[in-house]
Amino acid sequence: MNAAVTSTPKPTALITGASRGLGAAIARELAPGHELLLGARSKDALRDILTELPEATPWPVELTDYEAVAAAVGAVERLDVLVHNAGIADLGTIAESSVTQWRNTLEANLIAVAELTRLLLPALRASNGHVVLINSGAGLRANAGWASYAASKFGLRAFADALRLEEPALRVTSIHPGRIDTDMQREITANEGREYRPEEFLTPETVAAAVRHAVETPRDAHPTEIVLRPIAR
């Protein structure tokens, strides 16, 4: 009698902001090798990507509702990959920025990331997991009109650096892409009063491929930071 063949379960990856743009591209890139949990504010927002990736599991929760987040992570006992992709870009000069704008930007781009990571640490530790943070070129330098956004991304980089030291069994990767061809980018460019030229920007697929390469890097290496810039045209 032949011995029964047992298949090794796929690693599990949770992607926040997975309903469209870069998050959806990351989901497509990781789907062949991972069981996916796809995060968004609502299940309805995930309809299109779930139609495309029917084996993925929706994980709808408002990331700044911390009681709801704590409840949502309760069923996650083991997590191999956590991709922090969700975030906002509410831009303006310092003179024009309000307390509300600063608070909302830091809340969405930094505090919510820190709390979700904290709550998922037991699940990540169980698998010696990998935390990938979608940062920005604004996390390396601040430009005029981008103060609150850059502050949130500089903070996100500091968070990644501290997490890497505090949790040496985990891998922690900061991805710093330049501007990406997404709906959010179209809004930003419109607010700048410029013509939108997609060829000036990175594609979501290019950045998603960098995320996959980081996740698939053999365990003897720790990809700490990846910086991507569009080729000048």
Side-chain angles (χ1 to χ4, degrees), residues 1-219:
M1 182 181 294
N2 293 331
V5 176
T6 58
S7 59
T8 303
K10 290 181 180 180
T12 300
L14 168 58
I15 305 164
T16 68
S19 63
R20 59 184 183 139
L22 177 57
I26 294 170
R28 296 184 194 101
E29 196 72 30
L30 295 185
H34 294 80
E35 299 289 344
L36 296 181
L37 298 173
L38 301 184
R41 288 192 176 97
S42 69
K43 186 174 180 179
D44 186 61
L46 291 163
R47 186 186 329 155
D48 289 347
I49 190 64
L50 288 173
T51 299
E52 190 176 340
L53 303 174
E55 295 185 358
T57 300
W59 197 77
V61 65
E62 170 54 65
L63 295 175
T64 58
D65 182 344
Y66 300 119
E67 289 185 4
V69 172
V73 303
V76 184
E77 297 181 355
R78 184 183 179 92
L79 185 64
D80 299 276
V81 180
L82 171 58
V83 181
H84 287 289
N85 172 69
I88 64 172
D90 185 3
L91 306 181
T93 66
I94 293 170
E96 297 167 339
S97 299
S98 66
V99 169
T100 299
Q101 178 188 355
W102 278 88
R103 182 178 290 123
N104 290 345
T105 299
L106 292 169
E107 189 85 37
N109 292 355
L110 179 57
I111 298 171
V113 170
E115 179 62 1
L116 179 58
T117 305
R118 184 187 72 83
L119 290 169
L120 285 171
L121 277 177
L124 288 162
R125 289 167 178 159
S127 63
N128 292 333
H130 195 153
V131 180
V132 179
L133 301 108
I134 304 301
N135 200 297
S136 168
L140 300 172
R141 68 187 185 284
N143 292 323
W146 292 65
S148 61
Y149 182 77
S152 72
K153 293 300 188 178
F154 268 72
L156 189 63
R157 185 186 183 198
F159 172 77
D161 291 346
L163 180 65
R164 197 176 296 117
L165 294 173
E166 292 177 11
E167 300 288 337
L170 305 184
R171 296 200 293 182
V172 181
T173 304
S174 289
I175 309 283
H176 294 272
R179 292 191 175 198
I180 307 169
D181 177 21
T182 62
D183 291 341
M184 180 184 288
Q185 195 63 242
R186 289 181 181 275
E187 294 172 7
I188 292 171
T189 304
N191 289 335
E192 292 173 333
R194 298 193 299 115
E195 178 187 358
Y196 191 80
R197 295 170 54 84
E199 64 273 16
E200 294 180 356
F201 308 121
L202 296 165
T203 68
E205 292 73 23
T206 293
V207 182
V211 172
R212 179 177 59 80
H213 288 314
V215 169
E216 293 180 352
T217 297
R219 291 294 307 190

